[in-house]
Amino acid sequence: MIKNNVNKFAIVYRLVDLVVIQLVLLLIITSYHHAVFGENYLLIALLCSMCFMLSAESFALYRSWRAGFFRQIAFYTFISCVIAASLVMAYLFFTKTGTQFSRITLGLWFVGTYASLIGWRFAFALFLKRIRAAGRNTRSVAIIGLGDIGEQLIHEIEKNPSTGYRIQAVFDDRSVERVNPSVSQHLQGSIKEGVERAKQNEFEVVYVALPMKAEERIQEILYLLGDTTATVHLVPNLFVYCLMSASMSHVGEMQTISVFDNPMQGSSAALKRAEDILISLMVLSVIAIPMLLISIAIKVTSPGPIIFKQDRYGLGGRKIKVWKFRSMTVTDNGANVVQAKKGDARITPVGAFLRKTSLDELPQFINVLKGDMSVVGPRPHAVSHNESYRKQVSYYMLRHKVKPGITGWAQVNGWRGETDTVEKMEMRVEYDLDYIKNWSLWMDFKIVLWTFYKGFVGKNVY
């Protein structure tokens, strides 16, 4: 089974969280004289604890974060707190018991709980960073293979000392003269010598960083390392990086591994859909009046429909109707759709402003509510463009393994607007596939923030 790194102290972290949730409520009630800690508060404290724990488990909050980022911990803690608080409020609403509780007490509890959960995690992270800098709670590391993969691994370990990983030695069958001078100081012998030293318990962690094409050699090394007590990791090369949401499966007794798959399945799909509904409802409630004014402006200044519905490919390559405010005098939706260019005579004066500011895409939040699109995802292209580029850009159609989005990873990295060359489309697809392979709620959160921070305009938008 492929799973996250196990945290040896995860049970302690869970117990600390449980204590924090209960203790914060008790402290607030003790200091706030309008409430008494009775059976009713005990019940919702247990309910909140259970909901938080289930949410935290689904986000793998209790896995090992030795090589992770604290901002991700803070984000998933926040999401888990929001889910737990929402479920508690739903319970009070549907059981009609909300009048038994002080709203100020509950509000302070929810805010205080999040602050406390983040606070103890931040303090503990600082503690770990300090003791690792002092040489404690570290892991001695050996790397087998000093090619491109091994070099990259060395740089990442040296760049992130807070992980506690310390490179003790690197082994490769090449001589010092044949390896990169920037990492040659780590080379201490051949691969055979590295295996023998691992058998002497000199290393706690061994990374095998050989290219996957050396399958027989890797199998031999892993077999020999099976005679050690070291934790052994196999570092994937570009072949494995091409896997999208890889997972193990089987047909009868034969195991298989998915190569191209949708990362948003099961609970992930439910969370993604909940995110889309929540964000789209919030946005639509804000832009309802601006959309009405835009509709009037389009109708008054140019004959034709207000909304332009164009065929695009959606999830799984199925055709969907994508809504946009009409910005041109014509509505191309056939086999040959000509992409808008600078100074395009078809664009109306109002349409030019809408396209430059991306306001023409506001109706797509209705597509999101319908379930055809997502707030974040690869931007959908006209069907004729899809059929053209799939023949020119490798892995192009894999962008349709997820729902298309209003904004995306490629767009916030500067690849939005006109794609008048194959090279531009290749870069957009590269970012789209990177999004699919690394999707998480945290990544969606970053993209939404960057979209607002960087604005909706672009130099290649016409």
Side-chain angles (χ1 to χ4, degrees):
M1 296 296 292
I2 300 176
K3 57 183 180 181
N4 287 318
N5 292 336
V6 177
N7 188 338
K8 297 179 180 179
F9 302 100
I11 185 64
V12 177
Y13 295 169
R14 292 181 177 92
L15 290 175
V16 171
D17 283 347
L18 287 173
V19 171
V20 166
I21 294 172
Q22 312 291 323
L23 185 60
V24 170
L25 179 59
L26 181 61
L27 290 174
I28 290 174
I29 291 178
T30 302
S31 58
Y32 187 62
H33 302 297
H34 294 279
V36 178
F37 192 87
E39 291 183 1
N40 54 349
Y41 278 102
L42 177 61
L43 177 62
I44 63 167
L46 294 175
L47 176 63
C48 184
S49 300
M50 180 180 67
C51 294
F52 177 83
M53 298 296 288
L54 290 174
S55 300
E57 293 289 352
S58 66
F59 293 119
L61 191 58
Y62 297 112
R63 74 172 177 87
S64 174
W65 288 92
R66 176 180 285 270
F69 300 100
F70 185 79
R71 60 179 180 268
Q72 292 178 294
I73 298 176
F75 176 73
Y76 286 123
T77 302
F78 172 75
I79 293 296
S80 298
C81 285
V82 169
I83 292 174
S86 301
L87 292 175
V88 168
M89 298 305 293
Y91 168 79
L92 297 180
F93 175 78
F94 287 110
T95 59
K96 299 180 180 180
T97 56
T99 56
Q100 301 177 16
F101 302 90
S102 166
R103 286 174 293 180
I104 296 178
T105 299
L106 293 180
L108 291 174
W109 178 39
F110 293 148
V111 174
T113 296
Y114 174 67
S116 300
L117 291 174
I118 288 297
W120 87 257
R121 282 176 165 79
F122 183 70
F124 190 63
L126 289 179
F127 168 73
L128 289 177
K129 185 176 182 179
R130 178 168 296 183
I131 66 172
R132 286 168 181 169
R136 298 191 296 274
N137 192 237
T138 59
R139 300 288 183 272
S140 57
V141 172
I143 299 175
I144 293 180
L146 198 48
D148 293 339
I149 308 170
E151 287 181 28
Q152 184 179 353
L153 181 59
I154 291 172
H155 293 316
E156 289 299 321
I157 291 176
E158 292 178 339
K159 191 168 61 176
N160 298 280
S162 60
T163 61
Y165 291 136
R166 300 291 182 265
I167 300 176
Q168 298 296 314
V170 178
F171 303 95
D172 196 285
D173 288 339
R174 292 178 294 178
S175 61
V176 177
E177 293 77 16
R178 293 178 56 199
V179 300
N180 192 324
S182 65
V183 294
S184 60
Q185 71 274 15
H186 295 290
L187 187 62
Q188 295 189 14
S190 66
I191 293 177
K192 182 179 179 180
E193 291 175 299
V195 171
E196 291 301 319
R197 288 178 60 177
K199 289 182 179 181
Q200 302 301 317
N201 298 326
E202 290 190 32
F203 317 114
E204 295 173 89
V205 182
V206 177
Y207 286 98
V208 179
L210 296 176
M212 296 300 289
K213 62 183 180 182
E215 179 184 356
E216 293 185 3
R217 190 68 198 278
I218 292 174
Q219 288 181 344
E220 177 188 355
I221 293 170
L222 293 178
Y223 174 76
L224 294 173
L225 290 174
D227 190 31
T228 73
T229 58
T231 299
V232 179
H233 294 267
L234 181 62
V235 183
N237 64 351
L238 292 177
F239 166 75
V240 180
Y241 288 144
C242 289
L243 302 181
M244 287 204 322
S245 306
S247 59
M248 299 297 294
S249 185
H250 64 87
V251 179
E253 297 298 325
M254 180 177 291
Q255 285 200 331
T256 64
I257 182 169
S258 63
V259 178
F260 307 126
D261 207 348
N262 185 344
M264 302 165 200
Q265 302 184 47
S267 59
S268 296
L271 287 170
K272 179 71 169 174
R273 185 61 182 145
E275 169 197 310
D276 288 337
I277 293 174
L278 179 62
I279 295 178
S280 58
L281 285 175
M282 291 172 58
V283 172
L284 285 170
S285 66
V286 173
I287 66 175
I289 294 178
M291 286 180 67
L292 177 61
L293 296 176
I294 292 172
S295 300
I296 295 172
I298 294 173
K299 196 65 178 177
V300 170
T301 59
S302 174
I306 296 172
I307 299 295
F308 168 47
K309 300 178 182 179
Q310 188 178 54
D311 290 335
R312 305 282 177 101
Y313 281 163
L315 179 64
R318 293 183 291 273
K319 284 186 180 181
I320 61 173
K321 294 284 187 181
V322 173
W323 293 20
K324 300 181 70 174
F325 281 125
R326 183 176 57 83
S327 59
M328 293 185 174
T329 56
V330 296
T331 53
D332 289 340
N333 197 22
N336 295 304
V337 177
V338 180
Q339 196 172 30
K341 299 180 180 180
K342 188 174 183 179
D344 200 313
R346 299 171 300 166
I347 301 176
T348 66
V350 172
F353 172 75
L354 295 178
R355 295 176 72 92
K356 193 67 177 178
T357 58
S358 296
L359 292 175
D360 61 324
E361 297 173 358
L362 292 182
Q364 290 170 26
F365 283 101
I366 299 175
N367 283 113
V368 174
L369 272 184
K370 290 171 59 182
D372 295 333
M373 293 179 62
S374 181
V375 174
V376 180
R379 285 293 298 153
H381 301 149
V383 170
S384 61
H385 295 160
N386 278 317
E387 294 304 322
S388 173
Y389 282 117
R390 70 187 301 178
K391 301 172 184 177
Q392 304 176 65
V393 181
S394 300
Y395 305 114
Y396 177 87
M397 291 301 289
L398 293 181
R399 351 174 29 253
H400 303 101
K401 297 300 293 184
V402 298
K403 290 180 182 179
I406 296 176
T407 184
W409 188 228
Q411 283 64 47
V412 298
N413 280 283
W415 298 100
R416 67 185 300 269
E418 185 185 13
T419 49
D420 53 349
T421 65
V422 175
E423 289 73 21
K424 288 182 180 180
M425 183 58 75
E426 287 176 340
M427 290 305 302
R428 180 180 288 190
V429 171
E430 181 178 330
Y431 277 97
D432 288 340
L433 298 187
D434 184 61
Y435 168 77
I436 296 173
K437 286 186 284 188
N438 298 292
W439 173 81
S440 66
L441 285 181
W442 167 248
M443 192 172 190
D444 278 359
F445 179 71
K446 287 194 299 183
I447 292 172
V448 171
L449 286 184
W450 285 359
T451 299
F452 282 100
Y453 174 72
K454 295 185 176 183
F456 296 89
V457 298
K459 62 181 180 179
N460 296 320
V461 181
Y462 308 119

